[in-house]
Amino acid sequence: MKKIGFIGLGIMGSRMAINLQKAGFSLIIYNRTKEKANNLLNNGAMWVDTPKDVAQNADIIITMLSTPEIVKEVALGYQGFLSSFRDNSLWINCSTVNPSFTREMESSAKKIGIRYLDAPVAGTKRPAENGELLFLIGGDTSSINEAAPLFNSMGKKTLHLGKVGAGASMKMLINQLLGQSMVAFAEAMVMGEAMGLEKDTLFNVLLNTPVVAPVISTIRPKIENADYEANFPLKWIQKDLHLSSICAYEHNVAAPNLNTTKEIFAQAKQQGYGDLDFTAVYKYLNLKK
Ligand code: NAP
């Protein structure tokens, strides 16, 4: 059986890696903060001290890291894994990054004979835990087929969307709509409450109209219970909207709504909401209360 390297054991990566382990894959793991690997280590994963060491021990590497800058550092920086990876090995990047960046990583990999898949995910903490993620994939069919048992262990569905960059492109659009839907709903709630409508009534009525995005029903308990422990950190939706904005610039597309939404999350982050769940933008917009 192929040895799987996993780098990035945060909210998402730690859960994805556990599902791989449950499916019987032997893992070689690295994370900046070692304590987050404890569960995996207790269940037999092999710890190594650098990303480079992962490459020296694995046939396939999955990365689930925060930002393009960190992906680049872990792949190509000091002790980065890419240059130590064996010829024809496979790098599956599940981190949310922008399409032009993902193509840059593919090109760096290709130059030294490494195959690359662009494989961001839709779904948050719970779907990651339950192996119910949706993989949005760009890359060649034979690598995708080779990695299918991995995707099937971590997710419920895999969509092959085209060449490298296509997965990241779709992911940009999904999170753009997620951020915009969240802000639109939060703003309506704050206004409804200001007009004297009960919070409960607002949820019950608005969520039963077709004008509210279906995702809002799933995050209702977060807002209702003021439970802002991060499933999806606010700083990462702001990062994703920033990456979408880069795409808009690169494609000469005006995206005023996207950029306004991005700046609302940026303001919330500046006010100290970055590590809370992205739904805390409701709390930020509702500061009067
Ligand atoms: P997270 O919990 O913040 O994890 C981020 C990971 O990146 C951790 O492993 C972290 O290491 C690592 N990292 C950060 N800065 C680093 C540095 N300077 N050097 C080395 N490693 C560093 O985030 P997450 O929610 O799992 O998200 C991971 C990726 O998935 C992001 O691209 C995010 O946009 C995307 N995503 C998230 C969700 C979600 O709902 N949470 C859903 C879909 C996609 P440490 O553990 O040491 O901090």
Side-chain angles (χ1 to χ4, degrees), residues 49-53 73-84:
D49 286 329
T50 67
K52 191 183 170 96
D53 295 329
E73 187 183 316
V74 170
L76 295 165
Y78 175 66
Q79 306 277 39
F81 65 83
L82 204 53
S83 61
S84 298

Side-chain angles (χ1 to χ4, degrees), residues 11-164:
I11 295 172
M12 297 296 283
S14 58
R15 291 168 171 83
M16 292 160 71
I18 282 174
N19 283 327
L20 288 173
Q21 213 171 36
K22 281 185 188 157
F25 293 100
S26 59
L27 300 184
I28 296 107
I29 54 176
Y30 169 79
N31 193 52
R32 178 182 59 172
T33 311
K34 189 176 177 185
E35 297 76 66
K36 294 190 190 171
N38 285 345
N39 257 351
L40 289 156
L41 295 176
N42 290 339
N43 289 310
M46 172 184 168
W47 173 264
V48 289
D49 286 329
T50 67
K52 191 183 170 96
D53 295 329
V54 177
Q56 284 165 352
N57 289 281
D59 306 300
I60 296 177
I61 289 182
I62 299 173
T63 45
M64 192 50 168
L65 294 158
S66 48
T67 65
E69 293 77 12
I70 300 305
V71 171
K72 194 167 188 170
E73 187 183 316
V74 170
L76 295 165
Y78 175 66
Q79 306 277 39
F81 65 83
L82 204 53
S83 61
S84 298
F85 217 8
R86 280 187 294 271
D87 195 38
N88 204 35
S89 302
L90 176 62
W91 173 15
I92 305 172
N93 186 20
C94 296
S95 327
T96 303
V97 296
N98 49 315
S100 54
F101 174 82
T102 214
R103 284 190 288 268
E104 184 190 323
M105 289 302 100
E106 181 200 26
S107 156
S108 299
K110 213 171 180 174
K111 270 186 208 145
I112 53 170
I114 307 301
R115 292 172 295 136
Y116 180 90
L117 287 178
D118 156 35
V121 302
T124 184
K125 183 157 108 179
R126 205 62 63 212
E129 198 160 298
N130 296 338
E132 290 173 349
L133 295 170
L134 166 64
F135 283 89
L136 306 162
I137 306 190
D140 71 274
T141 308
S142 69
S143 300
I144 295 172
N145 289 343
E146 181 183 331
L150 304 175
F151 294 132
N152 294 339
S153 308
M154 299 183 284
K156 62 174 178 193
K157 197 167 179 182
T158 298
L159 294 178
H160 185 189
L161 297 164
K163 291 189 294 197
V164 166

Side-chain angles (χ1 to χ4, degrees), residues 213-233:
V215 70
I216 302 296
S217 295
T218 68
I219 48 109
R220 173 179 180 166
K222 302 285 287 175
I223 300 175
E224 237 168 9
N225 305 326
D227 160 24
Y228 297 119
E229 186 192 330
N231 289 340
F232 181 29

